[in-house]
Amino acid sequence: MLTMIVADDEPYIRTSLIRVFNWQEEFGIEIIGEAADGQEAYDLCMELKPDILFTDIMMPLLGGLEVAGKLKEGNCPTKIIVISGAQDFSYAQNALKVNAEGYILKPVKLPELREVFQEVVTRIRQEQERQMNVEQLKKQLQDNIPLIREKFLRNWIAGMYRDEGELWEKIDYFHLPFKPGDVLTAGVLQLDDYRSAVDKFSEEHKQLLYFAIQNMIAECLEQPPGGICFVAGENEFILIFRPDEAASPGTAALSGLCAKITQSIQKYLRLDASIGIGRACTRMCEMEDSYKDALAALVYTFYTGHASILYIKDIQPSTETLQSTFFYKFHARLMNELKAGHTSEVLELLERLFDRLAAPKLQIGYVQSICAEIVFTSARTLYELDEDIEEVLEDRTTIMDALYRQTNISGLKAYMLSFFNELATYVEGKNTSKNSRTINRIRGIIQERYAQELSIARIADEVYLTPNYISLIFKKETGETLTDYITKVRISKAKELLQTTDLKVMEIAERVGYENPHYFSTVFKKTVGIHPLKYRSGK
């Protein structure tokens, strides 16, 4: 419902104007006041803020146009409709100057009055609707400010803004804690071994994890040198450090802040994280370069390992390669030792190789390609000697996946040592017609640990071979499977305990490595032919 005040110094005319229409029914207007002079009209408008003032142009104290002028100066939104008994054009001109919505001459004609009010009411409602839409849009904007801010930040580090002035406008709009003259530095935090760390989590758990990490970073950034953080992608948390008054970026203050962040994540989430730090930039449009530097620095966790803080300015990647003479001699000797089955010599050669690979911090892709070449050259060489080598080797794709999945040089080294230990041990066994040393070690492990949880996979880890390979050689050399041998040892110990002790069957089962006494009884009967209690009684 719109509101209106009627002002005229003649009571009769004022009453006539109030009664001339059913204002609410015809126009949706409620008359909330009336005034007998211009001052009263002005005071009521400033107090009640009506949508419309319907006023005579000539009134005591203040004329209708003077009231309109004062309301305009006071930023009062009331619309003015003026009634005038004078047909002087200058009055109409003055009415336009004060933005009067309508100018009606006396004597008032109802069709003309109706038309003016219909037009004014329509304009007011359209204006209100536009204002309502604007307010609604403003509210939606405010509700979405966090998302819009994140989008701006991601676009910023992606280099989408090259105009410094435009960037500062946006920085001010989003109330970011930076000011002209600041020297800013980008950092990137990533969880180490991310896939293995989060693969076990549900998507909801992952999102909670990201939220927790972002909160921890934000809390740490409240301390000098401080800054902001946001998520750029999966396992990519961006930090923009602002300078500290007492210490510039890149000093101990920044290192201490990064260490505090990684320590908090380790303490509360039991996860390791590393941070790469780019070069400082004096212009906001250079942030993309600092961000890319930070990502490049993170790559070198391959050499430094977990929970590293890496400055790009401290990293000087080598473009060197292994000397061709060294590699040629190494490769020739490795093939000879491998074909001879000299396991210890093969592993010693690989240790020396990795000393050379790690020392100058070669390009990571180059190191991985060197290892891949050695693996597949060795496989081809051994295949020429023994086609059964395929029983030991996994398929090419699996090997490549395992090799390139190593996220640091120590992991890559461990994989290569394990791979070649298995190859050399196989060849050694082939050359001596039996793998007596490995078999004896496996038997010793079983004899010693039969009462514990004992799986083929765990035994394989103990002898640095794969489960498939030890199962293969054990069966081949002894004529029985590893599982059968473990069962034989356990049942033999159980028979001994049944005959020499008064322990219950449940206790004996536990002592020989069976958690479930019913399963133990089943295995015992299947192996010996009778139930454990009957065996004890001699029946």
Side-chain angles (χ1 to χ4, degrees):
M1 182 73 69
L2 300 180
T3 58
M4 182 170 72
I5 289 174
V6 177
D8 197 293
D9 58 326
E10 296 185 27
Y12 171 75
I13 295 177
R14 194 166 63 245
T15 302
S16 298
L17 292 175
I18 291 171
R19 295 177 178 176
V20 69
F21 297 123
N22 185 334
W23 292 98
Q24 290 194 19
E25 184 177 317
E26 187 163 351
F27 300 102
I29 294 174
E30 179 185 359
I31 297 175
I32 59 173
E34 51 183 291
D37 59 59
Q39 185 63 50
E40 185 180 9
Y42 171 76
D43 291 340
L44 281 173
C45 286
M46 293 301 292
E47 178 187 352
L48 302 177
K49 298 292 190 296
D51 295 299
I52 301 169
L53 170 62
F54 188 17
T55 180
D56 188 10
I57 201 168
M58 300 293 292
M59 287 190 299
L61 302 180
L62 291 173
L65 295 183
E66 290 178 287
V67 173
K70 288 191 69 175
L71 290 175
K72 182 180 177 182
E73 291 174 5
N75 294 318
C76 181
T78 299
K79 308 296 183 186
I80 312 297
I81 297 176
V82 177
I83 304 173
S84 175
Q87 299 193 19
D88 189 336
F89 181 67
S90 63
Y91 280 103
Q93 284 182 314
N94 290 332
L96 290 173
K97 289 179 183 178
V98 295
N99 296 331
E101 293 289 322
Y103 187 84
I104 300 169
L105 291 172
K106 294 179 181 178
V108 176
K109 297 176 183 176
L110 289 183
E112 182 183 353
L113 183 61
R114 177 177 281 108
E115 183 180 352
V116 168
F117 267 92
Q118 285 174 340
E119 290 176 358
V120 171
V121 166
T122 298
R123 283 198 296 270
I124 291 174
R125 294 198 186 283
Q126 288 175 343
E127 186 176 320
Q128 287 179 339
E129 187 176 349
R130 283 195 299 271
Q131 185 63 29
M132 189 179 300
N133 289 337
V134 169
E135 293 300 323
Q136 188 175 6
L137 287 172
K138 285 182 178 179
K139 183 179 184 306
Q140 289 177 348
L141 177 63
Q142 288 304 312
D143 291 344
N144 287 282
I145 278 292
L147 292 176
I148 300 170
R149 177 182 180 273
E150 290 280 310
K151 184 178 180 181
F152 160 67
L153 291 170
R154 286 194 290 268
N155 289 341
W156 182 16
I157 62 160
M160 293 186 66
Y161 306 105
R162 290 299 177 188
D163 184 275
E164 197 77 359
E166 179 188 7
L167 261 172
W168 276 113
E169 284 182 14
K170 293 182 182 295
I171 288 170
D172 290 341
Y173 176 76
F174 290 111
H175 304 294
L176 299 178
F178 309 130
K179 61 183 185 297
D182 280 351
V183 177
L184 305 182
T185 307
V188 178
L189 179 144
Q190 291 180 345
L191 295 177
D192 298 313
D193 284 344
Y194 173 70
R195 285 295 164 200
S196 59
V198 304
D199 272 353
K200 59 188 175 185
F201 297 150
S202 66
E203 187 58 33
E204 181 182 19
H205 196 143
K206 288 179 188 177
Q207 295 304 323
L208 288 172
L209 177 67
Y210 303 153
F211 184 72
I213 291 173
Q214 199 169 3
N215 278 348
M216 288 181 191
I217 296 172
E219 186 175 333
C220 292
L221 287 175
E222 292 176 359
Q223 304 299 319
I228 63 169
C229 71
F230 59 97
V231 179
E234 190 171 4
N235 196 30
E236 191 172 308
F237 300 85
I238 309 300
L239 304 91
I240 298 179
F241 302 103
R242 66 172 181 259
D244 180 30
E245 295 178 358
S248 61
T251 62
L254 185 51
S255 296
L257 176 59
C258 291
K260 183 178 179 181
I261 291 170
T262 56
Q263 288 165 9
S264 294
I265 292 172
Q266 214 296 317
K267 178 179 179 181
Y268 295 107
L269 300 177
R270 297 290 186 267
L271 294 171
D272 287 331
S274 294
I275 299 177
I277 301 171
R279 293 179 177 86
C281 51
T282 56
R283 301 178 70 239
M284 298 299 100
C285 59
E286 296 171 349
M287 190 55 63
E288 176 193 13
D289 299 327
S290 186
Y291 161 67
K292 288 180 177 177
D293 283 344
L295 281 178
L298 267 180
V299 171
Y300 285 84
T301 55
F302 182 81
Y303 289 104
T304 58
H306 289 186
S308 297
I309 298 170
L310 299 162
Y311 290 87
I312 191 67
K313 64 184 179 62
D314 296 334
I315 294 172
Q316 297 178 341
S318 173
T319 56
E320 298 178 15
T321 58
L322 292 177
Q323 293 180 0
S324 57
T325 52
F326 166 81
F327 189 69
Y328 175 79
K329 290 178 180 178
F330 162 81
H331 196 269
R333 187 174 173 192
L334 179 69
M335 292 303 103
N336 289 334
E337 298 292 359
L338 187 60
K339 287 187 286 187
H342 296 162
T343 305
S344 59
E345 286 81 357
V346 167
L347 298 183
E348 184 181 346
L349 281 170
L350 287 169
E351 290 279 1
R352 288 189 212 164
L353 171 67
F354 274 91
D355 287 343
R356 296 289 291 266
L357 290 175
K361 287 190 169 44
L362 299 165
Q363 294 287 345
I364 294 161
Y366 175 74
V367 173
Q368 292 171 323
S369 66
I370 283 286
C371 292
E373 182 180 349
I374 293 169
V375 165
F376 292 114
T377 302
S378 302
R380 285 195 300 271
T381 300
L382 294 181
Y383 183 77
E384 293 170 2
L385 298 176
D386 179 10
E387 293 184 1
D388 291 341
I389 192 69
E390 288 188 343
E391 296 178 2
V392 181
L393 288 172
E394 295 177 296
D395 65 89
R396 182 185 181 92
T397 302
T398 303
I399 293 172
M400 289 293 286
D401 285 345
L403 194 151
Y404 282 95
R405 194 167 58 244
Q406 305 307 317
T407 57
N408 53 64
I409 198 164
S410 59
L412 183 60
K413 177 181 176 181
Y415 175 78
M416 291 289 285
L417 289 173
S418 174
F419 182 89
F420 277 93
N421 180 57
E422 189 168 326
L423 280 185
T425 302
Y426 175 83
V427 174
E428 183 180 6
K430 277 283 185 178
N431 291 348
T432 59
S433 300
K434 60 192 296 187
N435 294 282
S436 57
R437 186 163 50 188
T438 302
I439 300 300
N440 288 337
R441 189 174 176 194
I442 290 171
R443 282 175 169 157
I445 291 170
I446 295 169
Q447 289 287 343
E448 182 181 347
R449 304 184 194 173
Y450 66 89
Q452 303 172 13
E453 181 182 350
L454 194 61
S455 65
I456 295 175
R458 181 163 292 187
I459 296 170
D461 287 342
E462 290 284 327
V463 296
Y464 303 103
L465 298 171
T466 64
N468 287 342
Y469 181 70
I470 65 170
S471 297
L472 178 71
I473 62 172
F474 194 93
K475 171 74 172 177
K476 188 172 183 180
E477 297 300 324
T478 66
E480 63 182 337
T481 67
L482 255 176
T483 302
D484 288 343
Y485 182 76
I486 294 170
T487 300
K488 183 172 75 175
V489 170
R490 285 173 166 167
I491 296 302
S492 175
K493 297 295 181 182
K495 288 162 69 176
E496 181 181 336
L497 290 171
L498 285 166
Q499 291 178 337
T500 60
T501 71
D502 294 323
L503 292 171
K504 297 178 181 179
V505 171
M506 180 188 305
E507 294 171 322
I508 292 173
E510 185 177 352
R511 289 198 179 191
V512 298
Y514 291 96
E515 291 183 0
N516 188 325
H518 298 293
Y519 179 68
F520 162 72
S521 297
T522 301
V523 174
F524 189 96
K525 184 175 181 181
K526 182 178 178 181
T527 305
V528 181
I530 58 175
H531 190 275
L533 291 178
K534 289 186 178 180
Y535 178 84
R536 170 176 274 169
S537 65
K539 295 180 181 179

